[in-house]
Amino acid sequence: MEKSNQQPTIATAFKKAIMGFLTLSPMILAVIGLVALFQTYITPDMLSKFFGHGEGLDILDGTIIGAISSGNGAISYVVADGLKQQGVSDYALIAFIMAWTTLSLTHLPAEASVFGTRFTAYRNILTFLCTLIIAYLSATTLRLFL
Amino acid sequence: MKKLKFKGLKFLFFVVALFILVSIFDFENIAKIMDKTGNMLFKILPIFALVITLTALINYFLKPKKIMKYFGKDSGTKGIFYTLLGGIISHGPMYAWYPMLDDMRKHGLKFGLIATFMYARAVKIPLLPFMVGLFGLPFTVIVNVYILIFAIFQGKLIDLLIKEKEK
């Protein structure tokens, strides 16, 4: 057995990295499958119907909708641009983009199984709150400058 | 050789069960979903290779003592700086980075820095020109500066919360 104070060989280091990856492979496969399911049933058209109820509510809507959506960050920009054309406020757009890229319901079980329930709960609650605050601060700062 | 202990098997069975249900009740969409799953998997294969290589290099070059020095409880500003940088330049979906973070955590990576890394990933360098094109430069700068500030803030809070619980 390799002692912790010994320098591992490069082959051992790769073997360990591959083993670590394989250990988490069922979870990664499950997340990919779940993301594909969400992308099929939750379309950008469906999302646009939730906005336009005032700035405060739009920030909350943007955060919740961003969190349940999934996919590449670039898609969130395209969807947000479409929403912008429909007159949705900057508050909602920023909340939506932020939540899309930092929160994900589909990743929650995987995150909890790797890092523990406590860390996952704290991190996601804080991320949710930070998204609301950043959306408000960013849109307000933008108003000051433009 | 050490036996593999898979993580997330129950979660995988749950998703497989969902696929079976979809194939029973919405047969038209199942091919589309399978196709999406395959495409996503194929797209992130290079990222998996990158993550495995990075993890191996970290294992090889950074002994647990060094990981503790750079990313452990006394890592300070340097640890935050390297973590922000890592978060900003890392590509692909978050779950692709779980194995590397999990490995580093076993060697002393702070929970707060994991949170900082995850939040800083919202700044996506390759997508910045796209963001500027769609929403303008002031929007892009303001949002991304706030993301970095809050990534640090969130990391500090997580460390405080977890430390408080451990007392």
Side-chain angles (χ1 to χ4, degrees), chain A residues 7-8 13 19 21-23 31-32 36 40-41 84 98 107 114 118-119 122-123 127 134 138 141, chain B residues 2 5-7 22 26 33 37 41 48 56 60 63 95 99 105 111 118-119 127 134 139 146 154 165:
Chain A
Q7 174 78 26
M19 293 279 277
F21 180 79
L22 287 177
T23 305
V31 172
I32 294 172
T40 308
Y41 291 109
K84 190 179 156 192
M98 285 302 305
H107 294 183
V114 178
R118 195 162 47 132
F119 168 79
Y122 282 149
R123 193 192 78 79
T127 301
I134 290 181
S138 301
T141 313
Chain B
K2 233 175 149 184
K5 268 190 183 173
F6 290 114
K7 277 187 181 177
V22 170
D26 189 12
I33 295 166
T37 307
L41 199 59
F48 288 155
Y60 184 68
K63 282 185 179 174
Y95 53 82
R105 190 172 61 94
F111 272 117
M118 288 179 168
Y119 211 71
L127 295 183
L134 289 178
F139 181 101
Y146 276 123
Q154 207 183 98
K165 278 272 173 188

Side-chain angles (χ1 to χ4, degrees), chain A residues 27-98:
Chain A
M27 188 205 69
I28 291 170
L29 268 177
V31 172
I32 294 172
L34 206 56
V35 169
L37 275 167
F38 267 66
Q39 284 184 352
T40 308
Y41 291 109
I42 300 171
T43 61
D45 281 348
M46 279 168 69
L47 303 181
S48 65
K49 289 175 187 147
F50 292 92
F51 295 100
H53 308 293
E55 286 162 359
L57 213 57
D58 272 3
I59 290 184
L60 196 63
D61 285 346
T63 307
I64 294 168
I65 294 164
I68 58 169
S69 311
S70 52
N72 188 293
I75 301 169
S76 74
Y77 298 171
V78 176
V79 176
D81 186 48
L83 296 172
K84 190 179 156 192
Q85 311 302 328
Q86 292 172 34
V88 173
S89 67
D90 283 339
Y91 292 95
L93 295 184
I94 297 166
F96 175 74
I97 294 172
M98 285 302 305

Side-chain angles (χ1 to χ4, degrees), chain B:
Chain B
M1 197 175 154
K2 233 175 149 184
K3 210 179 163 191
L4 274 176
K5 268 190 183 173
F6 290 114
K7 277 187 181 177
L9 277 174
K10 278 184 196 164
F11 181 32
L12 181 62
F13 290 144
F14 169 73
V15 175
V16 170
L18 280 180
F19 271 58
I20 294 170
L21 280 177
V22 170
S23 61
I24 295 169
F25 295 106
D26 189 12
F27 188 71
E28 279 179 15
N29 268 326
I30 194 67
K32 203 169 144 189
I33 295 166
M34 295 293 279
D35 197 40
K36 269 184 193 241
T37 307
N39 279 339
M40 262 189 267
L41 199 59
F42 188 71
K43 263 189 199 167
I44 55 173
L45 279 179
I47 295 162
F48 288 155
L50 174 74
V51 169
I52 289 174
T53 309
L54 270 178
T55 312
L57 292 177
I58 288 170
N59 276 335
Y60 184 68
F61 288 109
L62 288 182
K63 282 185 179 174
K65 256 188 183 175
K66 271 202 173 164
I67 293 182
M68 277 301 282
K69 187 182 161 198
Y70 291 126
F71 303 104
K73 61 181 190 319
D74 300 317
S75 55
T77 321
K78 260 189 188 173
I80 294 172
F81 175 76
Y82 290 133
T83 307
L84 282 178
L85 200 67
I88 292 169
I89 59 171
S90 63
H91 288 288
M94 189 58 236
Y95 53 82
W97 296 89
Y98 288 171
M100 190 187 90
L101 293 173
D102 188 35
D103 192 68
M104 286 179 74
R105 190 172 61 94
K106 284 171 191 156
H107 291 114
L109 170 66
K110 280 197 294 189
F111 272 117
L113 290 182
I114 297 178
T116 300
F117 177 86
M118 288 179 168
Y119 211 71
R121 283 174 43 83
V123 177
K124 300 194 176 297
I125 295 220
L127 295 183
L128 284 182
F130 190 44
M131 200 180 199
V132 173
L134 289 178
F135 307 108
L137 188 64
F139 181 101
T140 308
V141 173
I142 290 167
V143 170
N144 286 291
V145 167
Y146 276 123
I147 291 172
L148 293 179
I149 295 168
F150 276 82
I152 299 169
F153 170 72
Q154 207 183 98
K156 293 274 179 204
L157 260 179
I158 289 274
D159 273 340
L160 268 178
L161 284 168
I162 288 182
K163 217 182 273 171
E164 282 301 316
K165 278 272 173 188
E166 278 168 359
K167 269 181 189 173

